[in-house]
Amino acid sequence: MAGKPVALILGDDAGIGQCVQTMGFRPIVADLPNHAMEMQRRLSPALVLVNLPNGDLTPRLLRRLSRSGTPLLLMQDEAGPIPGPEGPHPPLCVLKRPVSPGDLRAAVRIVLPLSSPDLPTHTDRTFGKRYLTEYAPLLDYSAKMQAIKEIVEQVADINTTILFRGESGVGKDLVARAVHAASSRADGPFIKVNCAALPGELLESELFGHEKGAFTGAYRRKLGKFEFANEGTIYLDEIGELPLALQAKLLHVVQDLQFSRIGGRELIRVDTRILASTNRNLEVALSHGEFREDLYYRLNVVEIHVPPLRERPEEIPVLASVFLDRFNREYHQNREFLPQTLTLLANCPWPGNVRELENFVRRFVVLGNAERSQQELEAALRTIKRTDSLASPSLAPPTADVTHGLREIARRAARDAERKALKEVLDRVHWNRVAASRILKVSYKTLLNKIVECGLSRKSPHESA
Ligand SMILES: Nc1ncnc2c1ncn2[C@@H]1O[C@H](COP(=O)(O)OP(=O)(O)O)[C@@H](O)[C@H]1O
Ligand SMILES: [Mg+2]
């Protein structure tokens, strides 16, 4: 810990220490003003945080604390007038209690600007090859994503939880994977769990595992995803859908990284980094009592909001060409967009965000029908313009039925395209599914799932696998 800038906390720690620790400071708590003065002289802290009852912070004390010029953060019950130190005073910020980790981080950034030599930096950090080649370039196509990339690199190695927010399809998973790949856990597992995919009891067993005989049907011990994520990262997708009973259990795990399997007594410790994402408004869920406030604050130490694609339209042509290259390679094609298609692409609002754009390009490559793709975009735009004639910018958010329409068109066409390609290849290799999975560059398991999803079956009874 030596070498880290010290953050001196005067008064009640109340989680402040942990929060500033995640920012790279060494927290030192002093209960009494005299003790704090002493520490300030001896340790030259980069920052002093005062969390005393309102009346205890007297003008005299404030004057003494300010004397060395150390930036100050004051926590008060009511933001409002504070006993201002006379004369020149150091950077100072007042926060109203209760203080959320997000507020605290923001306030630290205000009193200690990024350029400050006292703010821990991670510029000397070298990232893994995978992060640099696979993820970093994808987060470079717009200023908004570059800002996210900067945060990713700053927090990669601070073991804090991160909450990813944003609409569906904007790239939350991608950014979460980037955090893992940029961290020193990159060689460990990245385990994703979709909290909306399973009902409560199953989800509990999925996350924490169960012992043999824990419930009917538990024939053998099963390890949970948290155990698999040991020495790696666990990513809890759609955390807003987590049932309340499980939220309580998760809160404990987030706090101590300890839990027991269902039906077990043994306490299992894991070393994992917890990331979570949601496209739900969690603040509304909090106010309806559907999401625990304590868990919210635990998860939301760092929040990364990934903006919708319509707010970063400069990425559309770049992403389209990235996807075009990728799918051309994947499907052994050599397709090109018509020039007018490129223009249209950039003007579509893409309510399904990057995922929708990706599917559109995949469909274009598989079907290879430039005119049809062009018409599809034109039709989508016409509908949007009709329903949205009052909104001037062509990128204004579309109305709900259009959103649904375009997404549904995309989904259906992608499925049709996949089905067609799948059937062609399977027929060609006489339903040798190992061979088919190799040609289609998907895993054997994925291929089997796709066959079921697309409702394909072999007519001849003799199958070879
Ligand atoms: N910046 C990007 N560059 C390339 N592909 C991206 C980018 N952002 C998202 N994608 C792709 O778009 C799809 C949806 O992204 P995902 O991270 O799953 O979104 P979310 O989790 O927000 O719903 C994925 O296939 C992802 O690989
Ligand atoms: Mg996701």
Side-chain angles (χ1 to χ4, degrees), residues 134-183:
E134 274 180 46
Y135 293 97
L138 302 182
L139 306 178
D140 243 346
Y141 305 143
S142 67
K144 286 197 168 133
M145 288 312 278
Q146 282 164 359
I148 288 180
K149 185 172 122 185
E150 212 168 281
I151 302 176
V152 165
E153 296 181 359
Q154 271 186 12
V155 298
D157 261 343
I158 306 173
N159 235 347
T160 158
T161 55
I162 302 178
L163 184 64
F164 296 91
R165 307 188 67 165
E167 291 174 15
S168 182
V170 287
K172 297 185 294 296
D173 286 29
L174 182 92
V175 181
R177 283 173 202 277
V179 168
H180 172 73
S183 77

Side-chain angles (χ1 to χ4, degrees), residues 5 14 27 88 117 132 164 170 184 225 237 258 285 357 377 380 405 435 443 445:
L132 293 174
F164 296 91
V170 287
S184 51
K225 288 284 160 68
D237 198 12
Q258 283 188 10
L357 177 62
L377 285 179
S443 71
K445 201 169 146 212

Side-chain angles (χ1 to χ4, degrees), residues 303-316:
E303 181 178 302
I304 296 185
H305 172 78
V306 186
L309 190 56
R310 62 182 173 276
E311 286 176 16
R312 39 188 177 112
E314 66 273 38
E315 287 190 36
I316 295 173

Side-chain angles (χ1 to χ4, degrees), residues 169 172-173 192 235 237 277 355:
K172 297 185 294 296
D173 286 29
K192 172 176 162 175
Y235 174 55
D237 198 12
S277 88
R355 181 176 293 120

Side-chain angles (χ1 to χ4, degrees), residues 207-369:
L207 287 169
F208 306 110
H210 62 243
E211 295 294 345
K212 181 176 173 180
F215 44 80
T216 335
Y219 297 119
R220 55 172 74 92
R221 165 188 283 179
K222 180 187 149 194
L223 303 190
K225 288 284 160 68
F226 267 97
E227 281 178 79
F228 286 113
N230 196 29
E231 294 185 357
T233 303
I234 189 162
Y235 174 55
L236 307 172
D237 198 12
E238 304 206 40
I239 191 81
E241 307 307 319
L242 197 69
L244 271 170
L246 273 180
Q247 290 178 25
K249 187 158 179 180
L250 180 62
L251 176 69
H252 283 122
V253 183
V254 177
Q255 280 168 346
D256 341 310
L257 293 175
Q258 283 188 10
F259 59 90
S260 7
R261 301 186 194 106
I262 302 177
R265 285 157 175 268
E266 183 198 351
L267 260 189
I268 296 154
R269 267 204 139 269
V270 285
D271 166 23
T272 186
R273 205 257 180 95
I274 302 175
L275 307 178
S277 88
T278 181
N279 55 17
R280 233 184 121 181
N281 185 332
L282 281 189
E283 289 74 18
V284 171
L286 285 186
S287 68
H288 291 174
E290 289 157 7
F291 205 83
R292 291 180 67 115
E293 196 167 348
D294 41 14
L295 180 61
Y296 170 77
Y297 284 117
R298 279 288 175 175
L299 293 173
N300 201 4
V301 177
V302 174
E303 181 178 302
I304 296 185
H305 172 78
V306 186
L309 190 56
R310 62 182 173 276
E311 286 176 16
R312 39 188 177 112
E314 66 273 38
E315 287 190 36
I316 295 173
V318 197
L319 285 171
S321 78
V322 167
F323 293 142
L324 187 65
D325 280 352
R326 186 194 300 166
F327 296 135
N328 268 335
R329 249 178 291 125
E330 201 171 315
Y331 296 104
H332 306 288
Q333 299 293 345
N334 200 7
R335 313 261 193 235
E336 289 292 342
F337 287 123
L338 301 172
Q340 59 269 40
T341 305
L342 276 175
T343 320
L344 277 186
L345 277 174
N347 282 306
C348 267
W350 301 108
N353 295 299
V354 186
R355 181 176 293 120
E356 186 180 16
L357 177 62
E358 186 180 16
N359 282 339
F360 175 85
V361 180
R362 182 197 297 272
R363 197 160 67 242
F364 166 72
V365 170
V366 175
L367 294 177
N369 190 332

